[in-house]
Amino acid sequence: EEVELGYATFAVGIQIESTCEANVLHNTVFGTQTPVSGSISYRYATTTGLLANNLVTHTMRRLDDAKIAVDGNVEGVEEHYFQHPPTGDLHLSPTATNAIDMGSDHTSVCGLDIDGEGRSTTPDVGADEN
């Protein structure tokens, strides 16, 4: 059975505001609609930390001079990057060539993927380690 993942309004996948030393690592944000504020948005000069190795279907937005460091993210990915989005299977497909083994090494902070499997020192971008 297929699950409809499209929504009338998609405000933001992940929003980071006024957070000190946040680590936002290896997330996958998939949306069939263009989000109002981006797949990931980060705002305010008081926001610091690291936003790395996130795989998103739309853009990420820096707002209000956020100071968070950005590293190894991949934006604008399409449905073919994933195994079967209509049923919620967002594991990487072999066609995700600019995500597989393309992440920065942050395994000391985020060493396991969504399935509890270990990440390599050349990790995949997103929640799944292929």
Side-chain angles (χ1 to χ4, degrees):
E1 176 182 0
E2 294 200 355
V3 177
E4 177 60 44
L5 295 178
Y7 299 100
T9 303
F10 174 24
V12 64
I14 298 171
Q15 186 164 321
I16 309 152
E17 293 185 359
S18 296
T19 305
C20 297
E21 297 307 314
N23 286 314
V24 181
L25 310 173
H26 289 286
N27 294 286
T28 296
V29 179
F30 179 90
T32 58
Q33 303 278 330
T34 302
V36 174
S37 295
S39 287
I40 299 176
S41 71
Y42 40 108
R43 65 184 314 172
Y44 302 128
T46 54
T47 300
T48 61
L50 178 63
L51 180 65
N53 297 338
N54 297 288
L55 185 67
V56 299
T57 53
H58 296 85
T59 59
M60 299 189 330
R61 295 183 63 199
R62 179 186 307 267
L63 303 167
D64 304 319
D65 214 18
K67 304 292 187 230
I68 200 163
V70 178
D71 181 35
N73 300 292
V74 178
E75 302 173 78
V77 301
E78 298 176 1
E79 191 170 320
H80 70 84
Y81 273 62
F82 307 104
Q83 290 292 328
H84 199 253
T87 59
D89 185 352
L90 299 180
H91 289 90
L92 294 175
S93 75
T95 62
T97 56
N98 66 337
I100 297 171
D101 295 335
M102 300 302 283
S104 300
D105 184 10
H106 298 287
T107 54
S108 64
V109 180
C110 186
L112 300 177
D113 79 348
I114 190 78
D115 300 314
E117 298 170 350
R119 295 189 182 278
S120 70
T121 55
T122 55
D124 297 340
V125 177
D128 177 43
E129 181 72 15
N130 197 12

